[in-house]
Amino acid sequence: MSNRYVEMGLCAPVNVTWEVTYACNLRCIHCLSDSGRKRDDELTTEQAMQVIDQLAARKVFQFNIGGGEPLMRPDFLDLMDYAHDRGMVTCISTNGTLIDKQTASRLNHPLVYIQVSLDGASEQANDPIRGDGSFKKVLNALEYLRNLDIDVSINCVLTRRSYPELDALVKLAASFGAKLRVSRFRPSGRGKQSWSELNVQREQMADFSQWLSRHLAVSTGDSFFSVATEERRSLGLNMCGACKLTCCLSPRGEIFPCAFLQEPEFLAGKLPEDDFSAIWNTSPVFESFRQLEIKSCESCHRFDLCHGGCPAIAYHTQRRLGLPDPGCLANCVTMKPSLQKAA
């Protein structure tokens, strides 16, 4: 897809990240949304169906489902069936601990892709981040999914602790017929408090960039375009897709540019009461993102590879947009994140 069309913004997003609930049975120390307890104002089943209808009518291709833990929502599998009946693909990110044989069979659908989270290839590495006993439960889930030949990947958030686990995680994923996906740690949610402890060091990020160039089968989405090498140029988007290709839907129906910018100042509208097309096409928040420029990066030799990097990390570490991603290989600076509590 041409960058020109991405910069202009499409007539509707290709995919929408839907955080379906704040409820979660784990308390991961890097959780992007500070999930744990269900909130009273989350979308009802009827409201969620209305949202699905709105987005399906706009030809949104895919939901990237997250939370919280999606399976903590009692109507979740019914909502997924409802989306599938309208031709929408669902990529479900789950901690895996609630997937049993029966649930796995419900997830066995041609429009479903599963992403199961691990932050280490052993109990000793994973459980201090994700919770005691989580590693064994995830392996059980992966076995159920493999037996049904469901398309699955293991997702790891890159931190100082998970960085040494990458090679072992590639092997672990392969043993279940899965691929590894590595996501970037961002200082949102509980990540604001754990950022200084968990964020990778400059040398680790540089080494990780070279590691990625040697492991082209490992996927990253748009997480690491700021450290992408020429070898990976053709594998993914080389700029932030917020408000251009994608946006975020919160458990309460709020629309934000991305899952890592669920802050009051970035609220663009609320579903189902607002019209999604009007939000996407006319929201001042979305328009500002489409016009966002990182002027200080334009003369950089890496600009065509990252276009300034991740605005969410720049915002959380420097409290405003329009600044370079502090994790960029060429413009890495030491910043302290805001320790303001998540909304």
Side-chain angles (χ1 to χ4, degrees):
M1 183 180 297
S2 167
N3 280 345
R4 183 171 65 86
Y5 293 110
V6 173
E7 290 168 355
M8 293 170 57
L10 304 181
C11 62
V14 174
N15 61 66
V16 170
T17 295
W18 184 7
E19 309 288 303
V20 296
T21 183
Y22 292 110
C24 190
N25 59 320
L26 299 182
R27 294 282 295 178
C28 301
I29 62 177
H30 53 33
C31 178
L32 72 91
S33 59
D34 198 13
S35 294
R37 298 178 61 184
K38 178 184 180 297
R39 301 185 189 180
D40 293 337
D41 56 353
E42 294 181 13
L43 293 175
T44 65
T45 300
E46 182 181 0
Q47 289 172 327
M49 288 180 172
Q50 292 173 13
V51 169
I52 292 170
D53 286 338
Q54 275 209 46
L55 297 180
R58 294 304 304 159
K59 306 298 182 185
V60 173
F61 175 71
Q62 178 173 303
F63 275 130
N64 293 331
I65 306 293
E69 168 50 46
L71 291 169
M72 289 287 287
R73 185 171 171 131
D75 61 358
F76 173 68
L77 293 173
D78 293 331
L79 290 175
M80 293 303 93
D81 289 341
Y82 191 80
H84 299 149
D85 289 344
R86 280 142 189 80
M88 300 182 75
V89 174
T90 57
C91 180
I92 302 169
S93 296
T94 170
N95 64 40
T97 62
L98 300 179
I99 296 179
D100 54 20
K101 189 174 183 179
Q102 181 179 3
T103 302
S105 66
R106 283 289 305 273
L107 294 170
N108 190 11
H109 190 285
L111 295 179
V112 170
Y113 297 88
I114 306 293
Q115 184 172 282
V116 179
S117 297
L118 280 175
D119 284 299
S122 68
E123 289 180 73
Q124 294 74 19
N126 176 82
D127 288 8
I129 296 176
R130 307 197 63 83
D132 291 344
S134 59
F135 183 77
K136 288 183 177 179
K137 291 178 181 179
V138 170
L139 293 195
N140 290 336
L142 289 169
E143 187 66 28
Y144 292 131
L145 296 169
R146 177 174 63 176
N147 289 340
L148 292 172
D149 198 28
I150 296 175
D151 193 311
V152 62
S153 61
I154 291 175
N155 183 72
C156 171
V157 177
L158 184 68
T159 65
R160 292 184 196 179
R161 297 190 194 178
S162 64
Y163 169 77
E165 297 288 306
L166 293 175
D167 288 330
L169 281 167
V170 169
K171 294 178 181 178
L172 177 66
S175 72
F176 287 97
K179 291 185 177 181
L180 180 65
R181 184 181 190 275
V182 183
S183 295
R184 194 168 176 194
F185 177 39
R186 295 169 170 94
S188 65
R190 279 198 293 278
K192 292 180 180 180
Q193 283 71 49
S194 58
W195 175 258
S196 59
E197 173 194 353
L198 294 181
N199 187 37
V200 291
Q201 298 170 334
R202 173 70 172 83
E203 295 77 12
Q204 289 177 321
M205 186 65 87
D207 288 344
F208 175 70
S209 175
Q210 294 305 309
W211 186 89
L212 278 179
S213 70
R214 300 191 301 271
H215 293 81
L216 298 182
V218 173
S219 62
T220 62
D222 67 355
S223 294
F224 289 105
F225 52 87
S226 60
V227 297
T229 58
E230 287 288 345
E231 290 86 351
R232 296 186 67 88
R233 179 188 282 269
S234 64
L235 299 182
L237 191 66
N238 63 350
M239 64 173 63
C240 174
C243 306
K244 303 163 187 170
L245 297 175
T246 186
C247 62
C248 175
L249 171 65
S250 84
R252 295 179 286 202
E254 301 153 314
I255 298 292
F256 295 100
C258 84
F260 300 97
L261 287 173
Q262 296 182 64
E263 305 282 342
E265 65 188 277
F266 300 118
L267 177 62
K270 193 173 187 297
L271 301 181
E273 48 263 53
D274 296 337
D275 177 68
F276 180 74
S277 292
I279 296 171
W280 181 259
N281 291 320
T282 66
S283 163
V285 171
F286 279 26
E287 186 60 29
S288 68
F289 264 78
R290 291 171 186 145
Q291 296 177 3
L292 184 64
E293 296 179 332
I294 317 297
K295 289 292 187 181
S296 60
C297 292
E298 292 181 358
S299 61
C300 176
H301 68 282
R302 286 183 47 82
F303 185 71
D304 287 343
L305 286 170
C306 81
H307 290 264
C310 174
I313 293 181
Y315 171 81
H316 285 297
T317 56
Q318 301 164 81
R319 299 312 296 176
R320 71 182 181 93
L321 300 174
L323 296 175
D325 183 332
C328 174
L329 289 182
N331 293 297
C332 186
V333 294
T334 301
M335 292 286 178
K336 294 182 179 180
S338 166
L339 296 182
Q340 176 184 350
K341 291 184 178 179

